[in-house]
Amino acid sequence: QLQLQESGPGLVKPSETLSLTCTVSGGSISSSSYYWGWIRQPPGKGLEWIGSIYYSGSTYYNPSLKSRVTISVDTSKNQFSLKLSSVTAADTAVYYCASWELLTGWFDPWGQGTLVTVSS
Amino acid sequence: NFMLTQPHSVSESPGKTVTISCTRSSGSIASNYVQWYQQRPGSAPTTVIYEDNQRPSGVPDRFSGSIDSSSNSASLTISGLKTEDEADYYCQSYDSSNDVVFGGGTKLTVL
């Protein structure tokens, strides 16, 4: 049974880079069946897709965040990572990682999420 | 890109049926699958419907999904409402560029 777990700093200063890692267990990140995605949710607000990556490194990014986002994959560690640069308070959110089926667009399962606060 | 518009909130009594709509702003709703996620406070979203109308194992058949090309919308219907169904519900789809979009979410109150 596939499980995902986010990790990384809970506090980031404005203008710095937010870095998170998602560790996949119960299956291989190199599976041909899945992409791997990041989604965020500001406090009290809705879900926003950040981007997705295939084990080969192929990526899709939200056009509104593309200039600040880098998603990478480390198949040796069964992990994929998110970097979001030049953060502001508006980037404060719970960040989720999830498995993504490209053909159906379905995110499942999701990690439990991790709150990242942008503040000095 | 396109948007998915959901009502901000709906409410209904236990035992009744409620339908939540999700309207696609451009492009055909039938062109790409729609998923529905349930999110309870403090928890990650979980899938209640995928591929327009499919239920994952463990989701009761009180939950059903459909699409309507005439209104370019998808719907999530929950029958026999239970207090445990009270949650936020999000629709989600994508486009030919594989850009993913979530609806704004609907807060379901069962009172």
Side-chain angles (χ1 to χ4, degrees), chain B residues 30-71:
Chain B
S31 296
N32 308 98
Y33 288 119
V34 176
Q35 279 65 239
W36 290 92
Y37 304 96
Q38 176 191 69
Q39 186 179 36
R40 295 192 174 100
S43 296
T46 60
T47 308
V48 291
I49 294 290
Y50 68 99
E51 293 180 21
D52 296 340
N53 55 19
Q54 301 299 303
R55 278 188 315 276
S57 59
V59 174
D61 59 6
R62 300 185 297 105
F63 290 81
S64 63
S66 64
I67 61 168
D68 180 356
S69 295
S70 65
S71 59

Side-chain angles (χ1 to χ4, degrees), chain A residues 41 60 104-108, chain B residues 37 39 47 51 90 92 94 98:
Chain A
Q41 184 173 36
Y60 297 102
T104 64
W106 180 24
F107 289 98
D108 192 88
Chain B
Y37 304 96
Q39 186 179 36
T47 308
E51 293 180 21
Y90 294 89
Q92 174 257 314
Y94 54 104
N98 291 312

Side-chain angles (χ1 to χ4, degrees), chain B residues 60-108:
Chain B
D61 59 6
R62 300 185 297 105
F63 290 81
S64 63
S66 64
I67 61 168
D68 180 356
S69 295
S70 65
S71 59
N72 213 35
S73 64
S75 294
L76 172 67
T77 298
I78 311 171
S79 60
L81 274 170
K82 300 184 176 183
T83 55
E84 67 203 48
D85 298 331
E86 190 161 289
D88 293 329
Y89 291 86
Y90 294 89
C91 60
Q92 174 257 314
S93 191
Y94 54 104
D95 64 15
S96 57
S97 300
N98 291 312
D99 288 339
V100 173
V101 174
F102 287 91
T106 299
K107 181 177 180 60
L108 169 62

